[in-house]
Amino acid sequence: TNFTATEFFITCGWLAVLWVVLMAVFIFIRSFKHMMHTCDPCYFMEDENHNYPPYKRPPKLPKGHFAWLVRAWHVTDTELIANTTPDELMLLRWYRMVYHWFFGATIFVLPVCATLYHLDSEDQDAKDAFGMKRITIAAANSEGVFWVVVLQMWVISTWLVYLLGRETAAYTRLVWRLPVSRIGIKSHAVLVSDIPMLTTDDPRGKEGARAQSGGMMKALSSALADKKERQVKRTGSMTRSGSMFRSGSMSRSGSMSNPSSPRSPRSDAGDLEGVKVEVTEAEKAEAQEEKMAQAWLKKNYSEVRSFMDETTPGDIDKLRACTKSEILRVVKAKMEGVMGEGCVVSVLLARDTRKLDKSANAWKASEQAYLQALILEKELKDDIEEALGENKSSKDVEAADSPKVAELKAKLAKADEEREKLRLDTKEKLAAFSRARLDYLHDETPSPSSIVVFSRQMDAVIA
């Protein structure tokens, strides 16, 4: 079928009507208060309410159904970066670049091509070029017209590449000029992997010896004792020093190698028949550390086995796990030795954060639910005050006894009860997050990877 000019304008008219209807529906949705809370939550923050997040509040919109559209058209990049993140700003700039390119290419291509197509179709039979087809490429017949189309495609493609390069340069300048507090440490940090977690060097100073004599490092040493003994047996180096080490390691390993040790739960059940021995908090913590040490060995089995295979029999007795401070100190010294002294701001061990993320997300969801309950409670109070009126008169007494006010008060009582439940749930989730956070911060087990944060972004790029 042929598409005539009349049908073309009728289609454009229906599309315009559809756009007007959709715009009217959108403006109607924005008239609801709850939808405004969802779309623009920063506009409804209350300075006196400490439960609201500390975002910077944008300036209030002027009155009018299309005030948001006018402001969106005239807003500057400086205003946007003050209330958004750099990535959000560049996404908006990307949308702006796309419609600039689209409308610019339309104005550049359509008049020239449509004219050439129409002129080229005049030499053809009317049956082959009819209606709107006369201004499309279907009507082109001569070689020169096709060359013009190719040239225009090259021009608009070159222009698009230029626009992409300009936006990329703008984003690069923005990231380099903004402080770290705005863009985060991701552009100043690098990941260092394949860090040795075991060593045969003696602990440095009293602090190193003290770190090896208690807590998680002691549990790791006890767990490594059995593996070192097996390594000595496997290599056939059963010397007297090895026998002395074996007996010493058995005495040090406690419940893991000596079944009659008082630290062993099995000895309590066998030696004290029918007597329930109460386990102290220190013993519980020690058992938990031994469990974590065994889990660490199981997780890093290949790395431990590889390091032990490369260790000489004479140094196998000195094998131990590196402390957290040793790994951080060595990584920082290596980086500053290459990039320059003082270039490293901090070094953090890379660890599994799934448990911490799970508790953080649970606390965040509970806090958001509590925030919504506070908003609902305030809105119900405002609705009750509006129903009662501002002046104390006989009409207020009638309004107080009205079914509407009674219904609002019932909703408010239910909202108060729900808000209190959410407050307690938020408090519980926060406590769980604090425990997970402390466990993460106090984790002393070695890690094969670390995150190095540089003072300058240039150093991170070079590294």
Side-chain angles (χ1 to χ4, degrees):
T1 59
N2 296 317
F3 192 59
T4 63
T6 304
E7 292 173 344
F8 171 76
F9 287 109
I10 292 175
T11 303
C12 292
W14 281 112
L15 291 176
V17 171
L18 178 61
W19 181 85
V20 171
V21 171
L22 293 177
M23 180 63 70
V25 171
F26 180 72
I27 294 175
F28 176 72
I29 292 176
R30 285 179 61 90
S31 63
F32 292 97
K33 186 182 297 185
H34 294 289
M35 294 303 298
M36 291 297 292
H37 279 297
T38 303
C39 299
D40 300 318
C42 293
Y43 282 122
F44 297 93
M45 294 188 300
E46 298 176 358
D47 297 331
E48 68 276 7
N49 194 336
H50 66 279
N51 294 287
Y52 282 78
Y55 299 140
K56 184 177 180 180
R57 182 183 302 185
K60 288 290 185 181
L61 291 173
K63 294 182 179 180
H65 294 298
F66 295 97
W68 61 273
L69 187 58
V70 175
R71 175 162 177 76
W73 186 266
H74 293 94
V75 68
T76 62
D77 292 350
T78 304
E79 295 174 329
L80 287 174
I81 196 60
N83 301 281
T84 60
T85 63
D87 293 339
E88 292 171 341
L89 172 62
M90 294 314 300
L91 179 63
L92 295 175
R93 287 180 60 96
W94 171 267
Y95 289 150
R96 185 171 59 190
M97 181 207 74
V98 169
Y99 78 71
H100 281 172
W101 178 79
F102 176 78
F103 286 108
T106 302
I107 296 174
F108 175 71
V109 172
L110 183 61
V112 177
C113 287
T115 303
L116 292 177
Y117 296 154
H118 187 273
L119 295 175
D120 202 21
S121 65
E122 292 181 351
D123 299 333
Q124 302 181 45
D125 191 357
K127 296 180 180 180
D128 298 328
F130 183 76
M132 291 293 296
K133 285 186 177 181
R134 297 191 64 182
I135 58 173
T136 64
I137 197 171
N141 190 34
S142 59
E143 183 179 353
V145 174
F146 287 105
W147 277 111
V148 172
V149 173
V150 171
L151 178 62
Q152 287 191 324
M153 291 183 65
W154 272 97
V155 171
I156 62 176
S157 298
T158 304
W159 184 34
L160 178 61
V161 172
Y162 165 75
L163 293 176
L164 290 173
R166 187 185 66 177
E167 293 302 319
T168 303
Y171 181 73
T172 304
R173 288 194 302 269
L174 179 66
V175 172
W176 278 79
R177 292 177 180 178
L178 287 177
V180 182
S181 58
R182 290 300 307 274
I183 61 177
I185 67 170
K186 60 183 180 181
S187 59
H188 290 250
V190 296
L191 177 65
V192 180
S193 58
D194 298 331
I195 302 174
M197 297 180 289
L198 301 176
T199 183
T200 56
D201 296 336
D202 295 329
R204 293 179 54 182
K206 296 181 179 180
E207 182 180 355
R210 187 168 56 251
Q212 292 287 335
S213 62
M216 175 56 64
M217 302 310 299
K218 181 181 179 181
L220 284 175
S221 299
S222 299
L224 282 171
D226 294 335
K227 288 190 174 295
K228 290 188 288 187
E229 182 180 358
R230 296 193 198 102
Q231 179 73 4
V232 172
K233 288 181 178 180
R234 192 168 69 88
T235 55
S237 301
M238 293 296 294
T239 59
R240 179 180 173 162
S241 60
S243 301
M244 292 177 59
F245 160 75
R246 186 163 61 255
S247 60
S249 64
M250 290 176 64
S251 63
R252 288 194 305 270
S253 61
S255 61
M256 297 182 58
S257 57
N258 189 359
S260 61
S261 172
R263 290 168 50 190
S264 175
R266 292 176 295 178
S267 66
D268 297 338
D271 297 342
L272 302 174
E273 297 180 359
V275 179
K276 184 177 180 182
V277 179
E278 203 173 306
V279 182
T280 62
E281 293 295 330
E283 291 175 341
K284 290 181 180 179
E286 194 172 1
Q288 180 66 20
E289 288 171 353
E290 291 176 352
K291 184 178 179 181
M292 294 174 62
Q294 291 293 340
W296 182 85
L297 284 177
K298 183 178 180 181
K299 178 181 178 181
N300 300 280
Y301 175 79
S302 60
E303 290 84 354
V304 174
R305 172 55 57 195
S306 176
F307 191 91
M308 293 180 70
D309 289 341
E310 297 175 0
T311 304
T312 61
D315 292 335
I316 196 68
D317 294 351
K318 302 178 182 180
L319 183 65
R320 63 178 178 86
C322 297
T323 62
K324 180 180 178 180
S325 58
E326 284 178 327
I327 295 178
L328 299 181
R329 182 175 63 250
V330 170
V331 172
K332 184 176 181 179
K334 291 282 187 180
M335 286 296 172
E336 290 187 343
V338 176
M339 307 301 299
E341 185 177 359
C343 65
V344 177
V345 176
S346 64
V347 182
L348 305 173
L349 289 185
R351 301 190 184 278
D352 188 1
T353 62
R354 286 177 292 183
K355 182 179 178 181
L356 182 63
D357 293 340
K358 182 178 179 181
S359 59
N361 292 332
W363 172 47
K364 183 179 180 181
S366 179
E367 189 179 34
Q368 289 294 329
Y370 179 56
L371 178 62
Q372 295 298 325
L374 288 174
I375 294 175
L376 178 60
E377 182 183 13
K378 183 179 183 302
E379 290 179 352
L380 288 173
K381 289 180 179 179
D382 294 341
D383 293 340
I384 292 175
E385 291 180 2
E386 184 178 352
L388 293 175
E390 298 180 356
N391 299 322
K392 301 298 182 181
S393 60
S394 58
K395 294 182 179 179
D396 296 332
V397 178
E398 296 177 358
D401 297 334
S402 65
K404 180 180 179 181
V405 175
E407 182 182 0
L408 289 174
K409 288 184 176 180
K411 290 182 178 180
L412 179 60
K414 186 177 180 180
D416 290 342
E417 182 180 354
E418 184 68 20
R419 185 257 305 159
E420 183 63 19
K421 291 181 180 179
L422 291 172
R423 185 185 69 83
L424 296 176
D425 182 69
T426 303
K427 184 178 180 181
E428 181 181 349
K429 294 294 194 303
L430 177 59
F433 169 71
S434 299
R435 290 192 297 269
R437 178 175 173 271
L438 289 176
D439 292 341
Y440 176 81
L441 293 176
H442 296 160
D443 188 2
E444 294 294 331
T445 57
S447 175
S449 303
S450 66
I451 299 174
V452 181
V453 182
F454 292 92
S455 58
R456 297 182 302 174
Q457 190 179 14
M458 179 180 62
D459 295 335
V461 173
I462 297 175

